[in-house]
């Protein structure tokens, strides 16, 4: 990204999503999400805050946009209904940033020569191993669910893309963001495959 304002506005919007998911993963009552939160180095709240502080100082704008409010309210409604329904958001959001984060970080460092402000996309872990853990935890969770809930997870996977798209549309869309959108679409198909593997009956329901 060559426009620092675009970069910052993108960070600010997605920060709210990662922050909510990470708070949810830590809640005692959301026991089905705890394993995701135990993946070493996965959480992004602090790295996003470091990036935002670099650009905006210690006090960045606290107001939220229409798309941010819609996203937050949707996550709240899912958690209130059944915290398991947050799992597709966790899976896709973290698979997306693990898969595309290195590319985004490289682009940011090319655009802003000091390289500062890219902490949100830096992982001091084995990224491939983290992605495998994320897949395994999603697979393990799916094995415990009934077919109706599995179908609901697929529906929520589509909502991840739709809500992310609304966030992106509020900001001028550079090529890098289009790449992340593609990663989320690919992630949906990966989740479908995971769910297919754990239930033959699930295949019969779909077809």
């Amino acid at each position: 990204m060559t426009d620092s304002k675009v970069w910052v506005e993108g960070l600010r919007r997605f920060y709210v999503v990662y922050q909510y998911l990470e708070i949810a993963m830590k809640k005692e009552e959301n026991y089905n999400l705890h394993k995701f939160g135990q993946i070493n180095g996965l959480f992004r709240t602090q790295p996003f805050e470091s990036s935002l502080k670099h650009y905006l100082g210690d006090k960045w704008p606290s107001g939220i946009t229409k798309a941010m409010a819609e996203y937050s309210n949707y996550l709240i409604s899912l958690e209130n209904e059944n915290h398991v329904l947050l799992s597709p958001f966790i899976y896709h959001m973290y698979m997306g940033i693990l898969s595309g984060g290195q590319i985004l970080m490289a682009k940011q460092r090319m655009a802003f020569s000091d390289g500062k402000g890219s902490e949100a996309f830096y992982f001091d872990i084995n990224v491939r191993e983290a992605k495998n853990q994320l897949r395994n935890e999603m697979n393990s969770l799916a094995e415990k669910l009934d077919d109706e809930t599995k179908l609901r997870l697929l529906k929520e996977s589509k909502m991840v893309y739709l809500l992310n798209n609304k966030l992106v549309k509020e900001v001028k869309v550079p090529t890098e963001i289009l790449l992340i959108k593609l990663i989320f679409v690919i992630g949906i198909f990966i989740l479908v495959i995971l769910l297919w593997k754990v239930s033959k009956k699930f295949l019969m329901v779909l077809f």
Side-chain angles (χ1 to χ4, degrees), residues 124-135:
D124 188 22
I125 56 173
N126 185 314
V127 171
R128 178 177 294 182
E129 183 177 324
K131 288 166 67 175
N132 286 336
Q133 285 183 271
L134 189 57
R135 291 189 191 98

Side-chain angles (χ1 to χ4, degrees), residues 178-195:
L178 293 176
L179 173 63
I180 291 299
K181 289 168 67 177
L182 175 61
I183 289 170
F184 284 126
V185 173
I186 294 171
I188 290 173
F189 287 107
I190 292 173
L191 183 61
V192 170
I193 292 171
L194 285 173
L195 294 176

Side-chain angles (χ1 to χ4, degrees), residues 3 5 26 28 46 50-51 58 67 70 87 96 110 117 144 147 160 169 173 182-183:
D3 186 340
K5 184 176 180 180
K26 293 177 182 178
E28 183 178 356
Q46 188 172 346
S50 295
S51 291
D58 290 333
E70 181 182 355
S87 61
M110 287 174 61
K144 305 174 185 177
D147 292 331
V160 180
K169 283 185 175 180
V173 184
L182 175 61
I183 289 170

Side-chain angles (χ1 to χ4, degrees), residues 15 18-19 22 26 42-53 60 119-120:
Y15 164 74
Y18 285 105
Q19 182 187 46
E22 288 166 16
K26 293 177 182 178
L42 191 67
F43 281 6
R44 294 291 91 195
T45 297
Q46 188 172 346
F48 264 76
E49 289 175 352
S50 295
S51 291
L52 286 166
K53 285 179 181 178
W60 63 80
E119 295 88 348

